[in-house]
Amino acid sequence: MSDEQLSRAPVPDRAEDDAFFPSAYSLTKYTSSKTDFDGTTYPKPYKGGKWKILMIGSQERYLMMKGGEFFSTGNHPVEMLLPMYHLDAAGFEIEVATISGDPVKFEWWAFPHEDEAVKATYKKYEKQLKQPKKLADVIGEGFTAETPYLGVFIPGGHGVLNGVPFSKQVGDILHWAQANKRFTISLCHGPASLLATAVDSGKFAYEGYEMCVFPDSLDTGANIEIGYIPGPMAWLVGENLRKYNVKILNTGITGQVHRDRLLLTGDSPLASNNLGKLAATTLLEAVEA
């Protein structure tokens, strides 16, 4: 059967009422058994032992759409694990947390099962991903200038729209990162997390920034037409970021990445390798300065 003969109807998820996985056809367009990892290594990794990365994952699988149906989603495995590979290879310890402390949920249908770099990263961090820290416990009594996170990494996948953009804890961490000259790393739908800085009438921390984000035009068009998502989204990432004078640089998904001050972003899963390299080299330069 050719790709064009595959069904474009979203696939029912038998674990939840009115919930759906992406269509068989859409997966041929959006997933692959391997990534574009190019074998990049870091001959002089960080060995200082102080600086770490805080990775905030998504703990909820079901994203409610505008019509009330659910998208069975989570974090995109390539968007999470390939940047983690680069940061880990560059010598930075990564701590995994979710808002609730529940396991990270993956869009497992997008896992590249023939990609050795991604598989090795998943295996190394599997215990943390299944038993992450609770974000409130990570924060404790608050972050200070001595808190050893050099970067905060928030990967995408539609699942990040559950909770993360509305979490005051996430917003407080991102405000802290900016105030203390720490890096924020995100891609695809992950930059929705930046909206958390405006929770409870807070000041949006990225006013006027330039960034790469998954295009709203795909979530309102092709993603529905090919059955990747089961209907219109309840809200759109780019539309909401633009309310704060954010300039979104990309119109499509080509693997584009961008740095604006201490914010590193990428446009889609296709940017995972590029963003990982950008993050690793940028952070290594920072600790060597």
Side-chain angles (χ1 to χ4, degrees):
M1 181 183 295
S2 70
D3 290 351
E4 292 299 326
Q5 292 175 306
L6 293 172
S7 174
R8 300 190 183 206
V11 176
D13 176 354
R14 293 188 295 175
E16 181 62 60
D17 179 51
D18 205 19
F20 300 88
F21 296 112
S23 71
Y25 175 80
S26 70
L27 293 185
T28 67
K29 303 301 178 184
Y30 280 170
T31 65
S32 175
S33 62
K34 289 186 177 181
T35 72
D36 62 343
F37 175 63
D38 55 5
T40 297
T41 59
Y42 301 91
K44 296 181 179 180
Y46 172 66
K47 295 182 179 179
K50 173 184 177 181
W51 295 117
K52 304 177 182 180
I53 306 298
L54 175 63
M55 196 282 286
I56 302 175
S58 299
Q59 78 286 338
E60 171 59 46
R61 179 171 305 286
Y62 295 108
L63 176 66
M64 183 176 285
M65 311 302 283
K66 188 174 182 179
E69 64 272 66
F70 291 111
F71 179 31
S72 296
T73 176
N75 280 130
H76 193 289
V78 175
E79 291 178 24
M80 178 184 289
L81 296 169
L82 197 46
M84 284 177 67
Y85 173 89
H86 285 281
L87 290 165
D88 180 274
F92 296 101
E93 180 183 343
I94 302 170
E95 293 186 358
V96 179
T98 60
I99 294 172
S100 63
D102 291 316
V104 172
K105 301 301 189 297
F106 277 116
E107 296 174 327
W108 200 251
W109 34 263
F111 194 94
H113 290 283
E114 296 179 18
D115 194 290
E116 296 304 322
V118 172
K119 288 197 298 182
T121 306
Y122 178 75
K123 184 175 181 179
K124 180 171 182 176
Y125 286 94
E126 183 176 6
K127 183 175 181 180
Q128 280 202 64
L129 293 165
K130 291 183 175 179
Q131 296 178 310
K133 296 183 177 182
K134 186 176 181 179
L135 206 54
D137 294 338
V138 173
I139 296 171
E141 296 181 0
F143 286 178
T144 70
E146 301 305 313
T147 301
Y149 296 122
L150 182 60
V152 180
F153 173 41
I154 306 179
H158 285 76
V160 74
L161 305 186
N162 278 315
V164 174
F166 311 103
S167 167
K168 188 176 185 303
Q169 292 173 337
V170 172
D172 288 346
I173 290 171
L174 296 179
H175 277 297
W176 164 85
Q178 271 206 339
N180 289 275
K181 296 181 171 56
R182 310 301 169 84
F183 293 90
T184 300
I185 306 158
S186 193
L187 71 167
C188 200
H189 290 82
S193 61
L194 307 180
L195 296 166
T197 60
V199 168
D200 290 348
S201 301
K203 178 176 172 56
F204 182 71
Y206 304 89
E207 180 91 26
Y209 272 59
E210 295 182 343
M211 62 187 74
C212 295
V213 181
F214 190 83
D216 288 350
S217 59
L218 289 179
D219 273 334
T220 58
N223 280 2
I224 299 172
E225 294 161 9
I226 66 175
Y228 185 76
I229 56 178
M233 304 269 289
W235 60 280
L236 298 169
V237 178
E239 180 180 282
N240 280 270
L241 287 171
R242 288 189 180 96
K243 294 176 181 177
Y244 297 100
N245 197 33
V246 165
K247 182 178 180 181
I248 297 174
L249 299 176
N250 60 296
T251 56
I253 51 174
T254 63
Q256 185 175 349
V257 297
H258 185 69
R259 175 180 178 179
D260 187 341
R261 286 154 276 191
L262 301 181
L263 176 66
L264 313 177
T265 55
D267 65 17
S268 67
L270 299 177
S272 302
N273 190 53
N274 292 338
L275 184 65
K277 291 194 290 185
L278 176 63
T281 56
T282 300
L283 270 61
L284 284 174
E285 289 171 0
V287 297
E288 291 168 0

